[in-house]
Amino acid sequence: MSPVPTLSDVAKLAGVSLATVDRVINRRPNVRAHTVERVRAAMAALDYRVDPLAAGLARRKRYKFVFLLPGGTNAFMADLAARLESLTGWLTANRASVETVFADVFDPKRLVEAIDGIDREADGAAIVALDHPDILAAIDRLSGDGVAVVTLVSDVPKSQRLRFIGIDNTAAGRSAGTLLGRFTAGRAGTVALLVGSLSLRDHVDRCLGFSQIVERNFPHLTVLPVIETRDERNRAERAAKDVLGEHPDLVGIYNVGAGNVGIASALRAGATAIRPVVVCHELTPGSVEALRAGQFDAILAQNPGHEVRSAARVLLACASKTGVVEEQERIRIDIFIRENLPA
Amino acid sequence: MSPVPTLSDVAKLAGVSLATVDRVINRRPNVRAHTVERVRAAMAALDYRVDPLAAGLARRKRYKFVFLLPGGTNAFMADLAARLESLTGWLTANRASVETVFADVFDPKRLVEAIDGIDREADGAAIVALDHPDILAAIDRLSGDGVAVVTLVSDVPKSQRLRFIGIDNTAAGRSAGTLLGRFTAGRAGTVALLVGSLSLRDHVDRCLGFSQIVERNFPHLTVLPVIETRDERNRAERAAKDVLGEHPDLVGIYNVGAGNVGIASALRAGATAIRPVVVCHELTPGSVEALRAGQFDAILAQNPGHEVRSAARVLLACASKTGVVEEQERIRIDIFIRENLPA
DNA sequence: CTGAAAGCGCTTACAG
DNA sequence: CTGAAAGCGCTTACAG
């Protein structure tokens, strides 16, 4: 017997053929209970584990996955798409291909159409979704048709998705609250809260976490009513300008959604006595530049490269019935200040 | 031709045998320049890429790696060892095994012995090293004997190591300086700086980055002379107690090395009017508890799971001559506050 | 310098 | 319900 036991070793020990061992390992039907037992015992005795390389090679199948991402100009989403693009080499090496579809996330009808339009022959799909009943239903239809679904970045918790790949957004909001609160160093005043849309679950969760922390731990800060920017740069700029103009006691801005370039530009235009503390989300050229320039104070982030790799690994593991290294798939809430920005 | 081109497709197109194509792909000797050209052209025309599964299966070789970690009670290092342990499944699946060796990092002589003792038949080694001339020489001997070396956590920059897997420690020190400086919210006073040892490159680098930032950006803070703790819990506790007793104006503590449990306990014993801001390194049960309890304010961390996986992937890629996803191997400086602690 | 053949450890039809 | 044989896409001796 070789140093590492093989299928043949198991077959020999159990006194059956290779095909039968294969049936037991892969839980295929038509094996007598008694035979299953014998094979199981032999596997246990030898501490046998299948060789994924050999199994992958022998299985002729190639896998197909679909990634459904938001269209539009959102820099983070563009980054996500780019990371996915650069993952194709790895995917090909693992006998998989991916089709990327872009859809308008802000419009439930279109998103439903896009989900319903996903090829039912696909082995899996990763979807940046809106938490809306119609979307939930569409995801469940897709899943019911045998396509494994993971939600990416923004979750639809009650759907039949296999798993959510993204950060805990309530915790991210709480982190933003603590950083902003502490960085204001005791100054009293108002704080502006900008979001892309109140119909996006991740944005709402961040608002919740933020408000909780500020109310409890920083009573000298008053959070202004939420402003929606639709994740558009111009609207974010307008909102920041208004807020800077109308509230001379503004000590902080938390931008939950996109549009950071607009905020930086508003900050440049309307210089105040003491610059407000600014906390935002995602490493994009605009946000990084503002952090470097000292206009922003902290960036909360999720790693888009990690997210697409995680989605791909999870879908592949599901399709090929192999395991997942749980710890590796946990997406962390990254905190960046000027000093720990990646090179 | 299949949807994805294979070796046979290339061989057919180039009018040569499989073996010859294999020689060209793997840069084996004894192929006429002209033949090489023909094969290269065919590969390019078909956009051929080798199937790593098939190649891995056909190559009968199994890989052996050695991980050299510090012995002792350091909680982070114990975590690192545990993560490595739980990676064995993945390693086996990839035809690799690892031997873990523990050595005293604080003693150059012993460390040299340990490095010299590494099996020259091994395909690669990951070493948590001390940046010392004798260690450098030992690493270069190992590397010269054909064992690929990566340094882990602490680098020996001028050695022949393939790559360093860890964080930028100067940047980590700068991050600590900014967080501690901003969290003190303008209060003036002294700051204590504890390190494990000034002969550890990572510790010294952190001190450097920290001092730079504090001097430049927080002139109202005075950094006290560095205290060495040898990464021992009791010495750290003693140091913290002394500093708390002797400096009523202490506003901050930065612990560069291990021994966080000792510091937390000193903090509990010697209650001061305003608790000093505490920044430390690594997520360990003790540091996490202190952060949760509000005794510590921030933890800088490197992800030990990521680090051992990265080391394993890099060594495996080197041994099997396959590629590395650069972006995936970059170890980030994680910042944790109570709110973004992993679940 | 080049090629024919065996084999890596599985899975897949097909036959019984 | 079970097995014999072919084959997945490479690499490895061996022969010439």
Side-chain angles (χ1 to χ4, degrees):
Chain A
M1 198 189 82
S2 38
V4 180
T6 68
L7 242 205
S8 320
D9 296 320
V10 177
K12 223 165 284 166
L13 185 62
V16 299
S17 72
L18 294 181
T20 296
V21 179
D22 174 74
R23 288 185 185 102
V24 174
I25 288 172
N26 295 297
R27 301 164 196 287
R28 291 187 234 280
N30 300 330
V31 189
R32 268 194 306 171
H34 174 246
T35 312
V36 172
E37 272 325 304
R38 294 246 311 277
V39 174
R40 286 256 161 78
M43 297 200 319
L46 296 173
D47 191 28
Y48 169 78
R49 13 216 105 203
V50 307
D51 182 332
L53 297 197
L57 182 59
R59 236 189 293 260
R60 292 125 206 282
K61 184 160 170 55
R62 299 195 165 262
Y63 305 109
K64 190 198 162 183
F65 304 125
V66 177
F67 274 63
L68 182 53
L69 308 179
T73 59
N74 185 316
F76 172 75
M77 293 303 172
D79 197 6
L80 203 68
R83 303 292 179 173
L84 180 58
E85 181 67 29
S86 68
L87 203 65
T88 49
W90 182 86
L91 282 159
T92 307
N94 286 277
R95 327 182 114 47
S97 65
V98 9
E99 177 192 353
T100 309
V101 176
F102 293 95
D104 184 344
V105 216
F106 286 104
D107 181 348
K109 269 175 213 131
R110 295 243 185 119
L111 192 47
V112 166
E113 278 170 26
I115 297 173
D116 283 341
I118 289 176
D119 181 2
R120 264 42 190 178
E121 294 301 299
D123 299 283
I127 302 180
V128 176
L130 191 70
D131 189 9
H132 180 282
D134 294 349
I135 308 298
L136 187 152
I139 287 178
D140 287 357
R141 277 196 294 278
L142 182 60
S143 170
D145 287 346
V147 180
V149 178
V150 298
T151 46
L152 196 61
V153 179
S154 185
D155 194 17
V156 184
K158 290 179 193 148
S159 67
Q160 297 296 316
R161 91 277 189 281
L162 198 65
R163 162 187 310 239
F164 166 55
I165 293 167
I167 60 172
D168 175 341
N169 284 294
T170 309
R174 284 198 295 268
S175 305
T178 295
L179 290 173
L180 190 143
R182 296 201 65 163
F183 283 176
T184 53
R187 268 178 292 138
T190 56
V191 174
L193 182 52
L194 312 190
V195 307
S197 159
L198 284 173
S199 66
L200 290 177
R201 147 130 270 131
D202 48 353
H203 288 202
V204 174
D205 285 351
R206 289 174 192 172
C207 283
L208 174 73
F210 182 78
S211 303
Q212 285 175 348
I213 285 283
V214 172
E215 273 173 29
R216 193 173 64 208
N217 299 345
F218 305 98
H220 53 287
L221 298 181
T222 310
V223 180
L224 297 172
V226 178
I227 306 174
E228 288 190 68
T229 66
R230 285 194 68 88
D231 280 348
E232 286 166 24
R233 180 209 149 126
N234 293 336
R235 295 203 195 203
E237 180 166 3
R238 184 73 267 150
K241 277 191 173 145
D242 289 350
V243 147
L244 282 163
E246 293 162 16
H247 300 275
D249 68 335
L250 189 80
V251 296
I253 299 178
Y254 174 33
N255 186 24
V256 165
N260 291 314
V261 175
I263 293 174
S265 126
L267 246 31
R268 244 173 281 122
T272 48
I274 304 182
R275 179 180 67 68
V277 170
V278 181
V279 176
C280 72
H281 279 265
E282 312 313 348
L283 291 183
T284 60
S287 69
V288 167
E289 192 193 326
L291 189 66
R292 286 233 165 82
Q295 298 184 291
F296 288 6
D297 298 87
I299 299 175
L300 297 176
Q302 48 195 322
N303 188 326
H306 188 186
E307 292 183 325
V308 293
R309 282 193 297 274
S310 183
R313 280 192 299 251
V314 167
L315 290 177
L316 198 58
C318 175
S320 61
K321 288 167 193 142
T322 54
V324 156
V325 180
E326 277 305 330
E327 189 242 334
Q328 185 177 193
E329 310 309 350
R330 210 161 297 150
I331 312 293
R332 300 191 176 206
I333 300 167
D334 295 327
I335 295 177
F336 291 103
I337 55 179
R338 211 184 335 189
E339 287 69 27
N340 73 329
L341 233 27
Chain B
M1 197 189 81
S2 38
V4 181
T6 68
L7 243 206
S8 321
D9 296 319
V10 176
K12 222 164 288 168
L13 185 59
V16 298
S17 74
L18 292 181
T20 297
V21 179
D22 174 73
R23 289 184 184 102
V24 173
I25 288 172
N26 296 297
R27 300 165 196 287
R28 291 186 233 281
N30 300 332
V31 189
R32 269 193 305 171
H34 174 247
T35 312
V36 171
E37 272 324 303
R38 294 245 312 273
V39 173
R40 287 256 163 78
M43 295 200 320
L46 295 172
D47 191 28
Y48 169 79
R49 11 217 106 203
V50 308
D51 181 332
L53 298 195
L57 181 60
R59 236 188 294 260
R60 291 125 209 283
K61 183 161 170 54
R62 299 194 167 263
Y63 305 108
K64 188 195 164 187
F65 304 125
V66 177
F67 274 63
L68 182 53
L69 309 179
T73 59
N74 185 316
F76 172 74
M77 294 302 173
D79 197 6
L80 203 67
R83 303 292 178 173
L84 179 58
E85 180 69 28
S86 67
L87 203 65
T88 49
W90 183 85
L91 282 159
T92 308
N94 286 276
R95 328 182 112 47
S97 64
V98 9
E99 178 192 352
T100 309
V101 176
F102 293 94
D104 185 344
V105 218
F106 286 105
D107 182 348
K109 268 173 216 133
R110 295 244 184 119
L111 192 48
V112 166
E113 279 170 26
I115 296 173
D116 283 340
I118 289 176
D119 181 1
R120 263 44 188 176
E121 295 300 299
D123 300 283
I127 302 180
V128 177
L130 192 67
D131 190 9
H132 179 283
D134 294 350
I135 309 298
L136 187 153
I139 286 179
D140 287 356
R141 277 195 294 279
L142 183 60
S143 171
D145 286 347
V147 180
V149 177
V150 298
T151 46
L152 196 60
V153 178
S154 186
D155 194 17
V156 185
K158 289 177 195 152
S159 68
Q160 297 296 316
R161 90 278 190 280
L162 198 65
R163 160 187 312 239
F164 167 54
I165 293 166
I167 59 172
D168 174 341
N169 284 294
T170 310
R174 282 199 295 268
S175 305
T178 295
L179 290 173
L180 190 145
R182 295 201 67 162
F183 283 176
T184 53
R187 268 178 291 139
T190 56
V191 175
L193 182 51
L194 312 189
V195 308
S197 159
L198 284 173
S199 65
L200 292 175
R201 148 128 271 133
D202 49 351
H203 289 200
V204 174
D205 284 351
R206 289 173 191 172
C207 283
L208 175 72
F210 182 78
S211 303
Q212 284 176 349
I213 284 283
V214 172
E215 273 173 30
R216 193 174 64 208
N217 299 344
F218 305 99
H220 54 287
L221 299 180
T222 310
V223 180
L224 297 170
V226 178
I227 305 172
E228 288 190 68
T229 66
R230 284 193 69 88
D231 280 348
E232 285 165 24
R233 180 210 150 125
N234 293 337
R235 295 205 195 202
E237 179 166 4
R238 184 73 267 145
K241 275 190 175 144
D242 288 350
V243 144
L244 281 163
E246 293 162 17
H247 300 276
D249 68 337
L250 188 81
V251 294
I253 298 176
Y254 174 34
N255 186 26
V256 165
N260 290 313
V261 175
I263 293 173
S265 125
L267 247 30
R268 244 174 279 121
T272 47
I274 303 183
R275 179 182 65 70
V277 170
V278 181
V279 176
C280 72
H281 279 267
E282 312 314 347
L283 291 183
T284 61
S287 68
V288 167
E289 192 193 328
L291 189 65
R292 285 235 165 81
Q295 297 183 292
F296 288 6
D297 299 86
I299 298 174
L300 297 177
Q302 49 195 322
N303 187 327
H306 188 186
E307 291 182 326
V308 293
R309 281 194 297 274
S310 183
R313 279 193 298 250
V314 167
L315 290 177
L316 197 58
C318 175
S320 61
K321 288 166 194 144
T322 54
V324 155
V325 181
E326 279 305 329
E327 189 243 334
Q328 185 176 194
E329 309 309 350
R330 207 162 299 150
I331 313 293
R332 301 190 175 206
I333 300 167
D334 295 327
I335 296 178
F336 291 105
I337 55 180
R338 208 186 333 190
E339 288 69 27
N340 73 327
L341 233 27

Short mmCIF file of all heavy atoms in Angstrom, two decimals, chain B residues 287-313:
data_model
loop_
_atom_site.label_atom_id
_atom_site.label_comp_id
_atom_site.label_asym_id
_atom_site.label_seq_id
_atom_site.Cartn_x
_atom_site.Cartn_y
_atom_site.Cartn_z
N SER B 287 -6.37 39.74 24.97
CA SER B 287 -6.51 41.08 24.41
C SER B 287 -7.96 41.36 24.03
O SER B 287 -8.47 42.46 24.21
CB SER B 287 -5.59 41.25 23.20
OG SER B 287 -6.02 40.46 22.12
N VAL B 288 -8.63 40.33 23.52
CA VAL B 288 -10.02 40.51 23.12
C VAL B 288 -10.89 40.79 24.34
O VAL B 288 -11.76 41.66 24.33
CB VAL B 288 -10.53 39.27 22.35
CG1 VAL B 288 -12.04 39.29 22.20
CG2 VAL B 288 -9.86 39.20 20.98
N GLU B 289 -10.62 40.05 25.41
CA GLU B 289 -11.40 40.27 26.63
C GLU B 289 -11.20 41.70 27.14
O GLU B 289 -12.16 42.37 27.55
CB GLU B 289 -10.96 39.26 27.69
CG GLU B 289 -11.89 39.21 28.88
CD GLU B 289 -11.27 38.44 30.05
OE1 GLU B 289 -10.50 37.49 29.77
OE2 GLU B 289 -11.54 38.81 31.20
N ALA B 290 -9.96 42.16 27.12
CA ALA B 290 -9.68 43.51 27.60
C ALA B 290 -10.34 44.56 26.71
O ALA B 290 -10.82 45.59 27.19
CB ALA B 290 -8.17 43.74 27.67
N LEU B 291 -10.40 44.29 25.42
CA LEU B 291 -11.05 45.23 24.50
C LEU B 291 -12.56 45.24 24.77
O LEU B 291 -13.18 46.30 24.85
CB LEU B 291 -10.78 44.81 23.05
CG LEU B 291 -11.21 45.82 21.97
CD1 LEU B 291 -10.40 47.10 22.06
CD2 LEU B 291 -11.08 45.21 20.58
N ARG B 292 -13.13 44.07 24.93
CA ARG B 292 -14.57 43.97 25.22
C ARG B 292 -14.90 44.66 26.52
O ARG B 292 -15.92 45.33 26.64
CB ARG B 292 -14.96 42.48 25.34
CG ARG B 292 -15.03 41.75 24.03
CD ARG B 292 -16.40 41.08 23.83
NE ARG B 292 -16.56 40.70 22.42
CZ ARG B 292 -16.04 39.59 21.88
NH1 ARG B 292 -15.37 38.74 22.63
NH2 ARG B 292 -16.21 39.34 20.60
N ALA B 293 -14.00 44.51 27.52
CA ALA B 293 -14.26 45.07 28.84
C ALA B 293 -14.02 46.58 28.88
O ALA B 293 -14.24 47.23 29.89
CB ALA B 293 -13.38 44.38 29.87
N GLY B 294 -13.53 47.12 27.78
CA GLY B 294 -13.27 48.55 27.77
C GLY B 294 -11.96 48.95 28.43
O GLY B 294 -11.74 50.12 28.71
N GLN B 295 -11.08 47.96 28.67
CA GLN B 295 -9.78 48.31 29.25
C GLN B 295 -8.80 48.72 28.16
O GLN B 295 -7.92 49.52 28.39
CB GLN B 295 -9.20 47.11 29.99
CG GLN B 295 -10.02 46.67 31.18
CD GLN B 295 -9.31 45.54 31.89
OE1 GLN B 295 -9.20 44.44 31.34
NE2 GLN B 295 -8.82 45.82 33.08
N PHE B 296 -8.94 48.10 27.00
CA PHE B 296 -8.11 48.44 25.85
C PHE B 296 -8.98 49.20 24.85
O PHE B 296 -10.21 49.05 24.84
CB PHE B 296 -7.56 47.17 25.17
CG PHE B 296 -6.49 46.46 25.94
CD1 PHE B 296 -6.12 46.85 27.23
CD2 PHE B 296 -5.82 45.37 25.36
CE1 PHE B 296 -5.13 46.17 27.94
CE2 PHE B 296 -4.83 44.69 26.06
CZ PHE B 296 -4.48 45.09 27.35
N ASP B 297 -8.33 49.97 23.99
CA ASP B 297 -9.08 50.78 23.04
C ASP B 297 -8.99 50.30 21.61
O ASP B 297 -9.91 50.49 20.82
CB ASP B 297 -8.61 52.23 23.13
CG ASP B 297 -8.85 52.79 24.51
OD1 ASP B 297 -7.98 52.61 25.40
OD2 ASP B 297 -9.94 53.36 24.72
N ALA B 298 -7.87 49.72 21.25
CA ALA B 298 -7.72 49.21 19.89
C ALA B 298 -6.69 48.10 19.87
O ALA B 298 -5.76 48.08 20.68
CB ALA B 298 -7.30 50.33 18.94
N ILE B 299 -6.89 47.16 18.95
CA ILE B 299 -5.92 46.08 18.76
C ILE B 299 -5.50 46.09 17.30
O ILE B 299 -6.35 46.11 16.40
CB ILE B 299 -6.55 44.71 19.08
CG1 ILE B 299 -6.99 44.66 20.56
CG2 ILE B 299 -5.57 43.57 18.78
CD1 ILE B 299 -7.74 43.39 20.92
N LEU B 300 -4.21 46.12 17.08
CA LEU B 300 -3.70 45.98 15.72
C LEU B 300 -3.43 44.50 15.53
O LEU B 300 -2.95 43.84 16.45
CB LEU B 300 -2.41 46.78 15.55
CG LEU B 300 -2.63 48.28 15.74
CD1 LEU B 300 -1.31 49.02 15.62
CD2 LEU B 300 -3.61 48.78 14.70
N ALA B 301 -3.72 43.98 14.35
CA ALA B 301 -3.55 42.54 14.20
C ALA B 301 -3.12 42.14 12.81
O ALA B 301 -3.29 42.88 11.84
CB ALA B 301 -4.85 41.83 14.55
N GLN B 302 -2.52 40.98 12.76
CA GLN B 302 -2.25 40.31 11.50
C GLN B 302 -3.02 39.01 11.63
O GLN B 302 -3.11 38.44 12.71
CB GLN B 302 -0.76 40.09 11.30
CG GLN B 302 -0.05 39.45 12.49
CD GLN B 302 1.45 39.58 12.40
OE1 GLN B 302 2.03 39.47 11.34
NE2 GLN B 302 2.09 39.83 13.54
N ASN B 303 -3.57 38.52 10.54
CA ASN B 303 -4.44 37.36 10.58
C ASN B 303 -3.61 36.06 10.48
O ASN B 303 -3.11 35.73 9.41
CB ASN B 303 -5.41 37.47 9.41
CG ASN B 303 -6.48 36.42 9.43
OD1 ASN B 303 -6.23 35.30 9.86
ND2 ASN B 303 -7.66 36.77 8.97
N PRO B 304 -3.48 35.33 11.59
CA PRO B 304 -2.60 34.15 11.57
C PRO B 304 -3.09 33.06 10.62
O PRO B 304 -2.28 32.37 10.00
CB PRO B 304 -2.62 33.66 13.02
CG PRO B 304 -3.84 34.26 13.62
CD PRO B 304 -4.10 35.53 12.90
N GLY B 305 -4.40 32.92 10.48
CA GLY B 305 -4.93 31.94 9.54
C GLY B 305 -4.51 32.30 8.12
O GLY B 305 -4.03 31.47 7.35
N HIS B 306 -4.65 33.58 7.80
CA HIS B 306 -4.26 34.05 6.48
C HIS B 306 -2.77 33.83 6.27
O HIS B 306 -2.34 33.39 5.21
CB HIS B 306 -4.61 35.53 6.35
CG HIS B 306 -4.44 36.09 4.97
ND1 HIS B 306 -4.59 37.42 4.67
CD2 HIS B 306 -4.13 35.49 3.81
CE1 HIS B 306 -4.37 37.61 3.38
NE2 HIS B 306 -4.07 36.45 2.83
N GLU B 307 -1.98 34.10 7.31
CA GLU B 307 -0.54 33.98 7.17
C GLU B 307 -0.07 32.55 6.90
O GLU B 307 0.76 32.32 6.01
CB GLU B 307 0.16 34.57 8.39
CG GLU B 307 -0.01 36.09 8.43
CD GLU B 307 0.71 36.76 9.59
OE1 GLU B 307 0.78 36.15 10.67
OE2 GLU B 307 1.17 37.89 9.42
N VAL B 308 -0.60 31.59 7.63
CA VAL B 308 -0.14 30.22 7.36
C VAL B 308 -0.67 29.72 6.02
O VAL B 308 0.03 29.01 5.30
CB VAL B 308 -0.50 29.22 8.49
CG1 VAL B 308 0.26 29.54 9.76
CG2 VAL B 308 -1.98 29.15 8.76
N ARG B 309 -1.89 30.11 5.67
CA ARG B 309 -2.41 29.70 4.35
C ARG B 309 -1.55 30.31 3.26
O ARG B 309 -1.21 29.65 2.27
CB ARG B 309 -3.86 30.16 4.17
CG ARG B 309 -4.88 29.29 4.88
CD ARG B 309 -6.29 29.59 4.38
NE ARG B 309 -6.70 30.96 4.68
CZ ARG B 309 -7.25 31.36 5.82
NH1 ARG B 309 -7.46 30.48 6.80
NH2 ARG B 309 -7.59 32.60 6.00
N SER B 310 -1.20 31.58 3.46
CA SER B 310 -0.39 32.25 2.46
C SER B 310 0.97 31.58 2.32
O SER B 310 1.45 31.32 1.21
CB SER B 310 -0.24 33.72 2.85
OG SER B 310 0.47 34.41 1.87
N ALA B 311 1.59 31.28 3.45
CA ALA B 311 2.89 30.61 3.42
C ALA B 311 2.78 29.27 2.68
O ALA B 311 3.61 28.94 1.83
CB ALA B 311 3.41 30.39 4.83
N ALA B 312 1.75 28.52 3.01
CA ALA B 312 1.56 27.21 2.39
C ALA B 312 1.34 27.36 0.88
O ALA B 312 1.92 26.63 0.08
CB ALA B 312 0.38 26.48 3.02
N ARG B 313 0.51 28.31 0.49
CA ARG B 313 0.23 28.50 -0.94
C ARG B 313 1.48 28.92 -1.69
O ARG B 313 1.75 28.44 -2.79
CB ARG B 313 -0.85 29.57 -1.13
CG ARG B 313 -2.28 29.07 -0.94
CD ARG B 313 -3.28 30.10 -1.46
NE ARG B 313 -3.18 31.35 -0.72
CZ ARG B 313 -4.11 31.81 0.12
NH1 ARG B 313 -5.21 31.11 0.32
NH2 ARG B 313 -3.94 32.95 0.73
#
